[in-house]
Amino acid sequence: VTIQDMVAAQAKLVDHFGIDQLYAVIGGSMGGMQALQWAVAYPDRVRHCIPLATTHRLTAQGIAFNAVGRQAIMADPGWAGGDYYDGPGPTHGLAVARMVGHVTYLSEEAMRLKFHRKLRPDQESFHYAFENEFQVETYLEYHGKGFVGRFDANSYLYITKAMDYFDLGADWGGLGKALARTKARFLIVSVSSDWLFPTSRSRLIVQHLQAAGRDVSFAEIQSPYGHDAFLLEIEALTDLIEAFFAADPPSES
């Protein structure tokens, strides 16, 4: 399953509802990849495109973190080669994968401000044991265990692989040629402290859109929250998107 497959399936759903053009396609992270794919693959069907904290393709570092998460799942005996639905499943492996992923969503500054090197509230000194002693450890464990109850391990494998495979320019002779196909107005948004999808990747997309003569706006949100900021900086995003839409509001019909 690829990002292209996901967008093609979405296009069929839009066809089913008899919608010729979407007023806006917007998404963050992997959703931003899908928004970009929409604008390139279906240029006549997207009026506005707003990719948030995303990239046209993952860096080697991004692929590496996804690979570690997948290995944690597949190394769990509960994964059973993917056929685990009659059993408990790879609960430990999925929790570890989420812990690894969660680290990539936070910036060093966010982790320092939230945790620094503080021990758990019920602990005054080191125990010199392999248990969780630092607050950041218990935080990651909490989020890892919580993730297991609401997410499927095989889905995690397929989704991270889809992100790894995505390369917006691969099918069109390069990123510049791909973005030259688009007809939408663009608002590209990055986050200053996002090291997983750094601002430099967004600026590259902007540069290619400008070179193609496309209508593109760019904003970098100043935030200490890392990649997660696109989910947390609601007021800043709302202001940006409202101003962007105000320049080309939907028709009354």
Side-chain angles (χ1 to χ4, degrees), residues 64-84:
F65 277 108
N66 284 344
V68 172
R70 288 192 296 269
Q71 288 298 319
I73 291 171
M74 293 186 291
D76 187 326
W79 183 57
D83 185 15
Y84 53 78

Side-chain angles (χ1 to χ4, degrees), residues 81 113 121 167 215:
L113 292 173
D167 184 341
D215 185 340

Side-chain angles (χ1 to χ4, degrees), residues 181-230:
R181 291 174 44 84
T182 64
K183 298 180 181 179
R185 292 178 67 234
F186 282 84
L187 171 61
I188 311 292
V189 181
S190 68
V191 178
S192 60
S193 57
D194 185 351
W195 56 271
L196 185 61
F197 295 89
T199 291
S200 60
R201 310 294 281 184
S202 292
R203 289 190 184 278
L204 181 61
I205 294 170
V206 171
Q207 290 166 7
H208 280 292
L209 287 169
Q210 289 175 331
R214 299 299 177 262
D215 185 340
V216 55
S217 301
F218 169 73
E220 181 186 55
I221 294 177
Q222 300 299 311
S223 172
Y225 298 126
H227 186 57
D228 263 356
F230 85 91

Side-chain angles (χ1 to χ4, degrees), residues 73-115:
I73 291 171
M74 293 186 291
D76 187 326
W79 183 57
D83 185 15
Y84 53 78
Y85 294 101
D86 291 330
T91 56
H92 178 70
L94 181 57
V96 172
R98 178 59 172 177
M99 291 167 69
V100 171
H102 205 77
V103 171
T104 70
Y105 307 150
L106 302 173
S107 69
E108 190 280 331
E109 182 181 4
M111 297 184 82
R112 176 178 57 81
L113 292 173
K114 189 176 183 69
F115 306 111

Side-chain angles (χ1 to χ4, degrees), residues 7-248:
V7 170
Q10 294 163 13
K12 288 185 180 297
L13 179 62
V14 171
D15 289 341
H16 175 75
F17 287 118
I19 300 171
D20 294 324
Q21 187 184 62
L22 298 171
Y23 176 70
V25 179
I26 179 171
S29 195
M30 188 182 78
M33 293 178 175
Q34 294 178 58
L36 289 168
Q37 178 66 23
W38 258 104
V40 169
Y42 303 96
D44 293 314
R45 305 191 68 176
V46 179
R47 183 165 159 183
H48 303 95
C49 181
I50 309 179
L52 310 171
T54 193
T55 181
H56 66 287
R57 64 184 181 189
L58 280 184
T59 63
Q61 185 181 51
I63 294 171
F65 277 108
N66 284 344
V68 172
R70 288 192 296 269
Q71 288 298 319
I73 291 171
M74 293 186 291
D76 187 326
W79 183 57
D83 185 15
Y84 53 78
Y85 294 101
D86 291 330
T91 56
H92 178 70
L94 181 57
V96 172
R98 178 59 172 177
M99 291 167 69
V100 171
H102 205 77
V103 171
T104 70
Y105 307 150
L106 302 173
S107 69
E108 190 280 331
E109 182 181 4
M111 297 184 82
R112 176 178 57 81
L113 292 173
K114 189 176 183 69
F115 306 111
H116 195 50
R117 288 177 52 84
K118 291 182 288 188
L119 296 175
R120 295 179 343 206
D122 61 347
Q123 185 173 336
E124 296 181 356
S125 60
F126 295 155
H127 291 172
Y128 296 100
F130 293 122
E131 64 194 42
N132 289 339
E133 298 185 76
F134 292 93
Q135 287 187 19
V136 67
E137 292 179 291
T138 57
Y139 171 84
L140 290 174
E141 182 180 50
Y142 171 82
H143 281 278
K145 289 182 176 179
F147 189 67
V148 170
R150 66 178 190 272
F151 211 88
D152 176 65
N154 282 335
S155 294
Y156 191 95
L157 298 179
Y158 279 105
I159 287 172
T160 56
K161 266 295 188 181
M163 294 178 70
D164 291 355
Y165 289 140
F166 182 65
D167 184 341
L168 185 64
D171 294 332
W172 311 103
L175 181 60
K177 290 181 179 179
L179 292 172
R181 291 174 44 84
T182 64
K183 298 180 181 179
R185 292 178 67 234
F186 282 84
L187 171 61
I188 311 292
V189 181
S190 68
V191 178
S192 60
S193 57
D194 185 351
W195 56 271
L196 185 61
F197 295 89
T199 291
S200 60
R201 310 294 281 184
S202 292
R203 289 190 184 278
L204 181 61
I205 294 170
V206 171
Q207 290 166 7
H208 280 292
L209 287 169
Q210 289 175 331
R214 299 299 177 262
D215 185 340
V216 55
S217 301
F218 169 73
E220 181 186 55
I221 294 177
Q222 300 299 311
S223 172
Y225 298 126
H227 186 57
D228 263 356
F230 85 91
L231 299 171
L232 301 173
E233 299 286 2
I234 304 302
E235 184 176 353
L237 279 173
T238 299
D239 290 345
L240 286 170
I241 294 169
E242 283 184 347
F244 178 70
F245 284 154
D248 185 21

